[in-house]
Amino acid sequence: MALNRTPLIAGNWKLNLDHLQAIAFVQKLAWSLGDAKHDFAGVEVAVFPPFTDLRSVQTLVASDKLPIAFGAQDLSAHDSGAYTGEISGAFLAKLECSYVIIGHSERRTLHNETDEVVAAKVQAALRHSLVPIICVGETAEDLETHGPSAVPVAQLRAALAGVNSAADIVVAYEPVWAIGSGQAATPDQAEQVAAALRAVLVELLGDDVAAKTRILYGGSVKAANIAGFMREPNVDGALVGGASLDLDEFASIARFKQHVGL
Ligand code: PGA
């Protein structure tokens, strides 16, 4: 982490927790972090529930003024029209989402999202002032064939097509082989790719944007390994899947400064 960037700890719930469970979880998370005197301005905490939970989470966060950000796990590339089952960025903006995850590897592989689709979704997010969390990452096969950063770098370049330098974005490096596998990248590996991704940001969006853009690591992040990642200069937070569903574990990840002495 670098001092000029506020770390972001983001919980990607995937297909877990209905809207009632979401309310209970977010309420308890806020209490737990509040009791622990978490510095929300110093480390931002965000949750990414399923679409059907978002209205409930929004109502809770607004009525109790909880210092927790939220966003969606995906959005449509289109704003409106004959697209059955799709969710518009306009709707997410109305629900006061701050962020939207785009191009998660599960969307790329299970829903055939190409780099072009990801780029169109990034544009859709930006049209509605949602901050896209652009996910990139290589498979184990890519790693063997192309080395660690070639595929994530190419994916980021493609996702940024047409993005101008005023854009507010977040990048998440998630090696596919580390997602849900219990086998996280090493901090060194994460830093190497994060540095390569930041170089792409410098090249395409300029020094200022590159210096303020947060790059997250994701893939089997836990309370026990977050410290190592956060010590790296180009890693500015984490996109957490499985461990974000365990309240104590996720709160502990968000409080990494306490248990690593950063
Ligand atoms: P994981 O998932 O933390 O369960 O590995 C990360 C993600 O898919 O964003």
Side-chain angles (χ1 to χ4, degrees), residues 112-181:
N112 303 315
E113 286 194 8
T114 60
D115 282 343
E116 290 69 34
V117 169
V118 170
K121 290 186 171 190
V122 169
Q123 292 298 325
L126 295 173
R127 275 200 298 281
H128 298 287
S129 302
L130 300 161
V131 176
I133 298 186
I134 303 169
C135 299
V136 298
E138 81 288 357
T139 62
E141 221 180 6
D142 294 333
L143 182 62
E144 216 163 277
T145 321
H146 306 289
S149 43
V151 167
V153 158
Q155 287 175 337
L156 183 59
R157 278 183 190 286
L160 292 179
V163 171
N164 71 46
S165 57
D168 194 1
I169 61 168
V170 172
V171 178
Y173 167 53
E174 298 205 301
V176 180
W177 47 268
I179 295 177
S181 67

Side-chain angles (χ1 to χ4, degrees), residues 10-12 14 101 104-106 135 172 174-175 178-182 217-222 239-244:
N12 173 14
K14 309 191 181 186
I101 296 172
H104 189 279
S105 73
E106 286 149 20
C135 299
E174 298 205 301
I179 295 177
S181 67
Y217 167 76
S220 298
V221 169
K222 302 192 270 296
L239 184 53
V240 186
S244 76

Side-chain angles (χ1 to χ4, degrees), residues 4-126:
N4 63 325
R5 296 186 287 269
T6 304
L8 171 60
I9 301 297
N12 173 14
W13 294 0
K14 309 191 181 186
L15 185 52
N16 295 289
L17 306 185
D18 63 32
H19 72 288
L20 297 174
Q21 293 168 316
I23 293 170
F25 188 95
V26 172
Q27 181 90 72
K28 279 190 218 148
L29 178 65
W31 282 337
S32 163
L33 288 170
D35 282 351
K37 307 246 174 309
H38 179 70
D39 172 16
F40 287 96
V43 178
E44 192 181 349
V45 179
V47 293
F48 293 80
F51 287 127
T52 49
D53 299 3
L54 286 172
R55 173 63 172 151
S56 307
V57 170
Q58 176 216 11
T59 305
L60 170 69
V61 166
S63 62
D64 290 6
K65 297 192 174 38
L66 303 183
I68 294 194
F70 56 91
Q73 299 171 15
D74 182 33
L75 88 172
S76 175
H78 307 284
D79 293 342
S80 66
Y83 302 103
T84 301
E86 297 272 279
I87 301 289
S88 168
F91 307 161
L92 300 178
K94 265 266 159 53
L95 286 174
E96 294 164 0
C97 288
S98 304
Y99 298 100
V100 58
I101 296 172
I102 297 178
H104 189 279
S105 73
E106 286 149 20
R107 305 276 335 157
R108 290 180 189 261
T109 52
L110 303 174
H111 299 268
N112 303 315
E113 286 194 8
T114 60
D115 282 343
E116 290 69 34
V117 169
V118 170
K121 290 186 171 190
V122 169
Q123 292 298 325
L126 295 173

Side-chain angles (χ1 to χ4, degrees), residues 189-212:
Q189 283 174 310
E191 170 60 21
Q192 192 188 337
V193 179
L197 294 172
R198 200 173 301 283
V200 172
L201 296 174
V202 168
E203 185 194 319
L204 298 183
L205 302 176
D207 288 335
D208 289 354
V209 176
K212 68 168 206 221

